[in-house]
Structure formats: structure tokens, C-alpha cells
Amino acid sequence: MFLTVASQALAVLAATAAPVHSAEISHGAQAYSASYHAQPSISLREVEPRFANRNAVPVCRWQADLTVNRGVAAQGRAVPAFGKAIHRFTPVSGSYAGSCAAARSQINAEVARYAQAKAAEAVAVAQQDRAVLVDELDSVRALTIQG
């Protein structure tokens, strides 16, 4: 049971591990490589309502956030100053009767469908970020070059 849930969670993460967009930017004498990933994060909360006259059935409440993150590298090395979250989609949430462990595969499947539905929008957001990244590179260059 645990291995099934763990492997399904890894499948959701593996599907989002590939970049949704990549861009090469030449700026000054430096070549930068930007990669954009759509990464989901899932939070689970198991609640157990209490009733005086019947047995309590746990309820798994969950919320998933999907964020497009930018990573930048120069000469094969990451440049953390330019890496950041550039867009956050509207969170998706729900609840399932039963424990969160039992509902995990259904939640992962729903989050994967949501990420797939937002894939084209994530690519568009990443493509539009090129101008923002160039502006950030210009700002840093202006600070470092004197006179």
C-alpha cells in the first residue's frame, strides 16, 4: 500500500520535473540559460468530526498550488539571484472521506490533471518572462559597471 502511494506521488513529481520552457539569453559577454518548471505542492489535513450519536469518519482536506519557477544558469552554474517563482496559478482544493493516505492516489491524479490543463498557460507565462529576465540582467549590469 505504501509503495503504491509513494510511487504515484513520484509519478506526479516526475511529470513536472521536465522544464516547460527553456531560453538561452546572451547578455553582455555572458550567456545565460533559463529554465522554467511548473511545480505543484500539495498540503493535506486530516480532520475527524466528532458526533455524539455516531462513529466519526475522517475527512482528508487538501489544497494544491501550482507555481511556475525560473532557474538561471551561467557557464553551467546556477545563479540563484535570478531564480524565483514567476507565476502562481489559482489553488485547487477538495476533500475526500477517509484518511489522507487512502485518498493520496486520487489527489495526485487530480493535481496531475490540473497541471496538464494549465500546461499551455505555464509555457506562455514562461515565454513572457524573457523580457523581465533581460531587464533584471540590465539592472544588475548597470550596478556593477561604473563610469
Side-chain angles (χ1 to χ4, degrees):
M1 172 72 175
F2 174 73
L3 292 176
T4 303
V5 172
S7 66
Q8 290 168 345
L10 290 175
V12 168
L13 293 176
T16 59
V20 295
H21 181 69
S22 297
E24 300 295 324
I25 298 170
S26 294
H27 189 268
Q30 189 73 282
Y32 294 92
S33 174
S35 61
Y36 299 86
H37 294 82
Q39 298 175 325
S41 65
I42 302 170
S43 61
L44 305 170
R45 189 178 77 197
E46 196 169 306
V47 294
E48 192 169 309
R50 304 274 178 190
F51 300 104
N53 58 353
R54 58 185 158 143
N55 290 336
V57 175
V59 175
C60 178
R61 294 194 176 130
W62 62 273
Q63 179 174 327
D65 292 310
L66 182 62
T67 307
V68 178
N69 295 317
R70 177 208 307 154
V72 178
Q75 298 176 351
R77 292 185 162 176
V79 183
F82 296 113
K84 65 179 181 178
I86 62 166
H87 185 75
R88 181 175 178 239
F89 291 100
T90 304
V92 62
S93 61
S95 63
Y96 286 97
S99 70
C100 288
R104 188 63 189 217
S105 63
Q106 293 171 320
I107 294 167
N108 287 344
E110 196 162 335
V111 171
R113 281 191 302 274
Y114 181 69
Q116 184 65 32
K118 296 293 184 181
E121 193 175 341
V123 170
V125 166
Q127 290 172 339
Q128 292 171 357
D129 185 63
R130 180 184 178 90
V132 174
L133 179 56
V134 169
D135 286 345
E136 290 176 13
L137 292 169
D138 287 341
S139 297
V140 170
R141 187 166 189 224
L143 291 173
T144 57
I145 296 177
Q146 299 293 328

